[in-house]
Amino acid sequence: MTEILRYTAFSVDPDGGNRAGVVLDASGLDDAAMLAIAAEVGYSETAFVLPGAEPRTFTARYFSPLVEVPFCGHATIATAVALGERIGAGPLVFDTPAGRIELTTGAGTASLTSVPTSSQPASPDLVDRALRALRWDASDLAWPVHVARGGAGHLVVGVGSRERLAKLDYDFDALADVLRSAGLITAHLFHQRAEDVFDVREPFPVGGVVEDAATGAAAAAFGGYLRELGLVTAPRALVLHQGVDMGRPSELLVDVRPDDPRVVVTGAAVPL
């Protein structure tokens, strides 16, 4: 019988963070079985792991209740912490559909180094359609809208008002269609609270989830977005607060450098 672990990531409080399913032994499971387990678990993602050819190296795949995604940050953090509890803290490597992810684990925490990130301005048509689906107006925008990638694709939209972010009420089906048409997974909606502190919300209708409480893949892509805008002239340590408006506060620590397209995302995880 397949053992399914349940963790919450990017929080030390079981009532906070983003919940993930973790299957540390996915041997014998085909795609249909993994999708069925993810749907039964009901979290935004469940990670499925197989041992690799080298010690502390693993193959990881990620399924939402509706689709497989190429990479999922919060499930990666949860899985790394679960493995660290069983085989000891230290370095890990995950081979994922998005590429190789290097990790380090400590006591209840993990850091992932993303694949190289990229970010480009979104087309005017994509921006218009996304704003209509979000029920926002162009006047709400305070930042350039980009398509950013850090293992998966995200539409990055920054607003000038924390109140606008708090009052998110979007058209689920319309936004899913917009994101799907552009090959994207989530919309990364943010407001800058202070120089290196951001409030974030993350609709995930493509995966059948209204909102993610913490999204490590999007956090990595966001670091690449800031670099592309020329806002990373020296190493920056960012703090992203996510899940607050849905009652599941999460904290994602993001380290981004001007000389490295990869981004390091760090967080805690606890079993449920």
Side-chain angles (χ1 to χ4, degrees), residues 95-268:
D95 287 310
T96 77
R100 176 160 281 203
I101 304 296
E102 298 176 356
L103 302 110
T104 58
T105 62
T109 66
S111 297
L112 68 86
T113 300
S114 75
V115 298
T117 61
S118 64
S119 187
Q120 298 84 31
S123 70
D125 176 66
L126 179 58
V127 174
D128 289 345
R129 290 188 292 123
L131 287 176
R132 286 197 299 271
L134 290 167
R135 301 188 176 110
W136 287 358
D137 188 81
S139 63
D140 293 315
L141 301 178
W143 295 71
V145 180
H146 271 214
V147 170
R149 301 182 186 277
H154 311 272
L155 187 68
V156 181
V157 184
V159 295
S161 164
R162 180 66 180 91
E163 182 181 15
R164 166 52 70 199
L165 194 66
K167 292 183 176 180
L168 179 64
D169 177 24
Y170 72 95
D171 185 324
F172 185 90
D173 292 331
L175 186 60
D177 289 342
V178 169
L179 296 174
R180 202 177 288 116
S181 72
L184 305 177
I185 300 299
T186 74
H188 184 79
L189 314 177
F190 74 93
H191 172 260
Q192 187 175 25
R193 184 192 302 185
E195 183 178 3
D196 289 327
V197 182
F198 297 83
D199 294 296
V200 176
R201 301 192 72 172
E202 202 86 24
F204 183 31
V206 171
V209 177
V210 173
E211 184 175 357
D212 250 355
T215 317
F222 182 63
Y225 166 82
L226 294 179
R227 185 191 302 108
E228 180 63 25
L229 293 182
L231 299 175
V232 185
T233 57
R236 290 183 68 177
L238 313 175
V239 180
L240 275 56
H241 294 281
Q242 192 176 332
V244 174
D245 296 289
M246 55 188 297
R248 296 195 61 83
S250 307
E251 183 176 270
L252 299 86
L253 307 180
V254 179
D255 291 292
V256 55
R257 301 178 58 89
D259 57 349
D260 191 342
R262 303 173 302 167
V263 173
V264 178
V265 180
T266 300

Side-chain angles (χ1 to χ4, degrees), residues 42-125:
Y43 299 156
S44 56
E45 272 98 7
T46 295
F48 297 85
V49 178
L50 288 169
E54 302 294 331
R56 303 185 71 90
T57 298
F58 300 85
T59 296
R61 295 176 68 183
Y62 311 92
F63 285 79
S64 80
L66 292 182
V67 295
E68 182 177 10
V69 298
F71 178 65
C72 171
H74 84 275
T76 294
I77 294 293
T79 302
V81 169
L83 284 169
E85 291 170 348
R86 286 155 179 79
I87 65 175
L92 298 169
V93 173
F94 286 4
D95 287 310
T96 77
R100 176 160 281 203
I101 304 296
E102 298 176 356
L103 302 110
T104 58
T105 62
T109 66
S111 297
L112 68 86
T113 300
S114 75
V115 298
T117 61
S118 64
S119 187
Q120 298 84 31
S123 70
D125 176 66

